[in-house]
Amino acid sequence: MKKEMRAAKFNKFNGPKGVEVGTMEVPELKEGEILVKIKAAGVNPVDAVITKGYYKDMMPHPFPVIPGWDFAGVIEERGHAARRFEVGDEVFAYARRPEVKWGTFAEYIVIPENYVAKRPENISVEAASAIPLAGLTAYQSLYQYGKLSEGQRLLILGASGGVGSFAIQLAKAKGAEVIGVASGKNHDYMKSLGADHTIDYKKQDIGDAVREIYSEGVDLIFDCTSGESLQQSLKSLKDSGKLVSILNQGEDLDPKIDHQFVFVEPNSLQLDHLRQLVNDEKLRVEVKKVFKLEETVEALEQIGTLHTTGKIVIKP
Ligand SMILES: NC(=O)c1ccc[n+]([C@@H]2O[C@H](COP(=O)([O-])OP(=O)(O)OC[C@H]3O[C@@H](n4cnc5c(N)ncnc54)[C@H](OP(=O)(O)O)[C@@H]3O)[C@@H](O)[C@H]2O)c1
């Protein structure tokens, strides 16, 4: 008999308000796939964006669509040749597939086992579920593309949000010096994660403030906000410095700037490394609020403000 699950889903691109909880059939397990019972699902700004159809020309979205790309849960079944894990293993993943359809704001997900990694067990399942997308984004931006190294100076725009919170800690784990940018209410929070200096984008010109801290400028700017904050910050980049942005694909940028746009990719080996950093207490997650599945609309509206501190999570 086919298994059913509760899921948050939408049938047209109507924004967060169009998302409703109902039932759906759990897909059958195919070769190389596992069935995971989702215990918690991290919420990211992209989940709200998806409900508005912004990515509909980039990836197919067959309705009904379940939003959500992050999860932590337990393996309940394994398909043919899916043998990297055991039934009962606690895992987490960034579950972005080539098609936007089977998201994580649901009781179950069927997913190829190569997307998942064992989750850190010294933190709550809610905290673990908030790591993959934002943690991998910070990891790929700073380590893979930014090639951040010990002693370098880094400016993070939007450092109190989901991605920025991981970026501060990953940069400190590498031995870099960090300036975090966010509004004043988040400065103690950024310092608690390891930021050496903070700048309030509402009160200071970011570029001038950086030059007051480091007169010679910074080696790397990690841009998680773009817009005016990015434009102000550019004058603080050393001539030899690099800009890594998760929003700006080169628009309004001087072509002489060494610029890299990053769109985060699933990577279970990097999730293993993030788990290790959590186990070593070099990485922690602040879950500011846990929503019920029935509160998915509120969770999406909150994340859509782009002023969430730390992470929020849905518990199906
Ligand atoms: N390309 C990719 O692969 C990728 C991956 C992940 C995320 N993203 C995108 O990156 C952005 C950040 O994601 P997130 O999950 O970190 O979002 P988030 O959790 O909402 O955090 C946003 C952060 O930006 C700060 N902020 C807002 N306006 C600002 C401004 N004008 N100047 C400086 N800081 C400002 C906020 O602090 P205050 O509350 O103090 O203002 C907050 O710290 C989102 O737009 C998301 O869609 C892209």
Side-chain angles (χ1 to χ4, degrees):
M1 206 179 70
K2 298 233 166 161
K3 199 178 174 99
E4 289 219 319
M5 64 176 175
R6 287 164 58 248
K9 53 186 174 166
F10 59 93
N11 277 301
K12 57 181 174 197
F13 296 119
N14 217 3
K17 282 205 176 343
V19 177
E20 286 178 345
V21 175
T23 54
M24 273 173 82
E25 267 183 14
V26 177
E28 286 192 7
L29 268 183
K30 295 203 281 295
E31 183 182 2
E33 293 180 337
I34 51 176
L35 171 70
V36 179
K37 183 168 173 53
I38 295 174
K39 291 186 174 176
V43 183
N44 294 283
V46 70
D47 304 324
V49 167
I50 287 280
T51 66
K52 297 175 184 161
Y54 286 3
Y55 287 104
K56 68 180 185 326
D57 298 327
M58 264 174 68
M59 296 176 258
H61 291 55
F63 292 126
V65 169
I66 305 173
W69 279 347
D70 267 344
F71 74 81
V74 59
I75 297 180
E76 273 202 7
E77 276 180 54
R78 303 181 303 177
H80 180 81
R83 292 295 176 265
R84 275 179 61 210
F85 301 97
E86 303 290 334
V87 168
D89 279 354
E90 297 269 345
V91 292
F92 69 158
Y94 165 39
R96 174 168 68 80
R97 310 286 301 278
E99 179 178 271
V100 182
K101 167 80 181 165
W102 298 104
T104 60
F105 301 162
E107 289 179 305
Y108 286 94
I109 190 164
V110 168
I111 187 161
E113 66 169 0
N114 56 351
Y115 280 69
V116 312
K118 288 224 178 128
R119 79 164 177 92
E121 297 216 37
N122 56 341
I123 57 171
S124 69
V125 74
E126 292 82 7
S129 79
I131 294 175
L133 190 155
L136 287 174
T137 304
Y139 188 102
Q140 291 170 14
S141 298
L142 297 185
Y143 289 5
Q144 197 174 331
Y145 295 103
K147 307 252 185 292
L148 184 69
S149 59
E150 190 176 352
Q152 283 194 318
R153 289 169 170 173
L154 166 69
L155 176 69
I156 304 171
L157 306 175
S160 61
V163 177
S165 297
F166 289 114
I168 293 175
Q169 299 176 81
L170 291 176
K172 294 313 293 177
K174 268 278 184 228
E177 287 179 40
V178 177
I179 306 178
V181 179
S183 63
K185 69 175 167 32
N186 285 317
H187 286 203
D188 286 346
Y189 170 69
M190 293 189 288
K191 285 196 170 139
S192 77
L193 296 175
D196 301 286
H197 307 276
T198 52
I199 293 172
D200 183 348
Y201 69 89
K202 290 190 173 166
K203 295 201 174 135
Q204 293 161 281
D205 177 282
I206 297 170
D208 293 344
V210 171
R211 290 280 179 182
E212 273 175 34
I213 300 166
Y214 302 130
S215 56
E216 64 280 39
V218 291
D219 302 288
L220 182 64
I221 296 176
F222 180 34
D223 168 38
C224 307
T225 63
S226 244
E228 179 57 24
S229 288
L230 173 60
Q231 293 306 324
Q232 286 180 11
S233 72
L234 291 174
K235 59 177 172 281
S236 68
L237 189 62
K238 286 182 184 172
D239 288 344
S240 59
K242 185 168 181 130
L243 165 67
V244 174
S245 178
I246 52 174
L247 292 167
N248 191 303
Q249 302 195 36
E251 53 274 12
D252 307 328
L253 285 180
D254 180 341
K256 290 204 279 294
I257 294 173
D258 182 359
H259 161 251
Q260 173 75 51
F261 170 71
V262 174
F263 189 55
V264 59
E265 300 209 315
N267 187 315
S268 63
L269 291 177
Q270 292 175 349
L271 285 179
D272 282 335
H273 191 192
L274 290 171
R275 180 188 62 242
Q276 194 56 51
L277 288 166
V278 174
N279 288 345
D280 295 345
E281 297 183 359
K282 290 189 171 146
L283 199 62
R284 66 185 169 89
V285 190
E286 293 242 358
V287 176
K288 293 294 177 185
K289 188 161 179 189
V290 178
F291 293 83
K292 297 189 197 112
L293 190 62
E294 289 69 23
E295 297 170 323
T296 299
V297 173
E298 289 92 315
L300 290 171
E301 284 174 343
Q302 166 59 41
I303 204 74
T305 64
L306 295 177
H307 292 290
T308 300
T309 305
K311 293 294 301 177
I312 60 171
V313 164
I314 290 174
K315 231 173 141 52

